Amino acid sequence: MTLCKEYICHLIRKEGFISIAEFMAAALYHPEFGYYMQRQPLGSNADFITSPEISLLFGETLCFWAVEHYYRLHQPKKIALVELGPGRGILMSDFLRTAQLLPDFFDALDIHLMETSPKLQATQQYIIHHPRVFWHEEIAELLEAIHSLPVLIIANEFFDALPVRQFQKTSQGWAERGVIISEDHTLSFGIRDIEVSNFSFPLVKTDAIIEYCPLAEDMMRKLVHHLNQVSGAFVSMDYGYVEGYGDTLQAVSRHRYVPVLENPGAVDITAHVNFRVLKEIAGENAGIATQSEFLMKHGIVKLAQAHAHKATEADKNQLALQLYKLTSSQQMGTLFKALEVIA
């Protein structure tokens, strides 16, 4: 049993039940035992890879997106570039390498990274090269640091790792789904009664499960409020949905799905992002596209062609495969969505 699992069992014994959000918070973010706090989760030799690890085309395309907004904002002398959850720093490294082709843009950037993991922050410090890079652990600290600067905000596979609450429709009404210790002394899912007046539930069938991510909603409100005060743009790409509901909780270890409750603290645990809710919070200046649509719109094919022009045949084939993984409906192209907000 991992130390994290022992800690979670201790929490459950005190109350008899913990919510899914409490379970995720402990499993992922406990300062001593949490998955993100004690290990390097990303990479081909770790547990999962994200779009920047698949191809440099991803970070380069996001640089194209940012440059478009830099010109829309009339080339400010200073602009804050924010990345939420920068992982190993590969996206930002690819972005900045491309940005150097436009010295005025590169020099205007103040880089602000929101990262809670000491291990990942150390990796980012090694790989990201710019004269002005700042790290923050909380959204309030980040927003205070960028104060009045126009801002460009990037979030890739960030919101999926925020703890969600789950609610289940029973024959008696709504209950909260969480984690208990079963009779055989293993972790299992259970439910508890809730005060329904605190929530607004959709009309669904008995046994249906819905998810609610209060931290994502609160963070989105703060980001959009700040964006509207200073002007700029925001894009978040993640796997998620616009319509529907259900249990989307999942765990990954060594690039394979594993039982969610089996080994907390040692596996990545995420939930699909409800893009409809985030778009409603962002308001009329927000739009949702598939990842494929977003990347195509901002020039990923032209970038791939430019790289292929001076590549070996093997590298051309590799570029084609990377483009396929990022944009195909059979891969990440449609499951992953892009929420964009322009102010």
Side-chain angles (χ1 to χ4, degrees):
M1 182 183 293
T2 63
L3 290 174
C4 186
K5 194 168 186 176
E6 288 183 17
Y7 173 73
I8 287 170
C9 288
H10 168 72
L11 292 179
I12 296 171
R13 290 189 186 100
K14 285 171 55 178
E15 302 293 335
F17 176 103
I18 61 172
S19 69
I20 297 295
E22 291 169 320
F23 169 77
M24 288 183 70
L28 299 176
Y29 299 109
H30 186 280
E32 291 183 61
F33 314 131
Y35 174 77
Y36 289 126
M37 312 306 277
Q38 64 175 333
R39 64 183 62 225
Q40 174 62 264
L42 295 111
S44 58
N45 295 321
D47 290 325
F48 63 95
I49 60 172
T50 60
S51 294
E53 276 89 16
I54 290 173
S55 177
L56 53 74
L57 296 172
F58 189 79
E60 292 180 354
T61 303
L62 280 167
C63 185
F64 275 27
W65 167 84
V67 169
E68 288 177 26
H69 289 289
Y70 169 69
Y71 283 113
R72 178 180 65 84
L73 296 168
H74 308 294
Q75 300 170 259
K77 295 295 184 184
K78 285 285 184 184
I79 187 166
L81 174 63
V82 171
E83 186 178 1
L84 307 177
R88 292 196 296 158
I90 292 176
L91 188 160
M92 187 56 66
S93 178
D94 291 337
F95 182 109
L96 292 174
R97 186 188 59 255
T98 308
Q100 285 182 301
L101 300 175
L102 289 169
D104 288 348
F105 175 60
F106 183 85
D107 292 342
L109 296 172
D110 276 359
I111 313 298
H112 292 266
L113 307 175
M114 197 171 88
E115 180 59 69
T116 59
S117 166
K119 286 188 177 293
L120 287 174
Q121 190 175 126
T123 303
Q124 294 155 17
Q125 289 171 345
Y126 177 76
I127 198 172
I128 295 171
H129 304 293
H130 190 276
R132 294 182 307 282
V133 186
F134 310 94
W135 278 266
H136 313 280
E137 293 188 7
E138 296 181 355
I139 189 70
E141 175 193 339
L142 165 69
L143 296 179
E144 183 178 350
I146 61 179
H147 50 273
S148 61
L149 290 178
V151 62
L152 303 170
I153 305 170
I154 296 169
N156 182 61
E157 294 201 44
F158 172 76
F159 286 102
D160 68 292
L162 300 181
V164 298
R165 295 179 71 179
Q166 289 188 337
F167 300 96
Q168 186 168 345
K169 179 74 175 292
T170 72
S171 56
Q172 284 77 43
W174 283 96
E176 180 157 21
R177 192 167 184 247
V179 183
I180 61 173
I181 299 175
S182 60
E183 292 181 359
D184 62 358
H185 306 292
T186 61
L187 296 181
S188 61
F189 292 108
I191 58 173
R192 68 176 173 190
D193 294 334
I194 57 168
E195 175 54 59
V196 295
S197 62
N198 295 331
F199 302 94
S200 176
F201 292 112
L203 296 174
V204 295
K205 296 179 180 179
T206 300
D207 294 329
I209 293 171
I210 65 167
E211 293 175 340
Y212 162 58
C213 188
L215 187 55
E217 294 185 21
D218 179 65
M219 196 170 293
M220 194 69 194
R221 288 188 185 93
K222 290 175 179 175
L223 290 170
V224 170
H225 175 76
H226 183 83
L227 195 64
N228 288 332
Q229 299 297 309
V230 299
S231 73
F234 163 96
V235 65
S236 175
M237 279 182 275
D238 224 314
Y239 51 88
Y241 56 97
V242 180
E243 301 294 338
Y245 53 86
D247 174 17
T248 71
L249 206 63
Q250 62 187 39
V252 172
S253 178
R254 297 292 173 182
H255 307 277
R256 295 179 181 274
Y257 291 109
V258 296
V260 170
L261 301 181
E262 187 173 80
N263 210 9
V267 299
D268 183 45
I269 301 173
T270 58
H272 286 218
V273 175
N274 187 334
F275 278 96
R276 177 186 57 79
V277 169
L278 296 185
K279 181 178 183 294
E280 288 174 354
I281 292 170
E284 60 183 12
N285 292 329
I288 298 173
T290 66
Q291 175 169 293
S292 178
E293 291 167 338
F294 178 86
L295 294 176
M296 293 287 192
K297 176 182 176 182
H298 295 287
I300 194 169
V301 172
K302 290 182 178 178
L303 276 167
Q305 291 170 342
H307 283 292
H309 183 68
K310 50 192 174 184
T312 65
E313 199 62 34
D315 287 341
K316 288 178 183 178
N317 292 336
Q318 188 65 23
L319 278 167
L321 179 60
Q322 292 169 1
L323 186 63
Y324 173 78
K325 287 181 177 179
L326 292 176
T327 62
S328 169
S329 61
Q330 304 301 311
Q331 296 284 324
M332 303 172 74
T334 54
L335 172 62
F336 278 65
K337 308 294 189 294
L339 172 65
E340 186 176 14
V341 185
I342 299 172

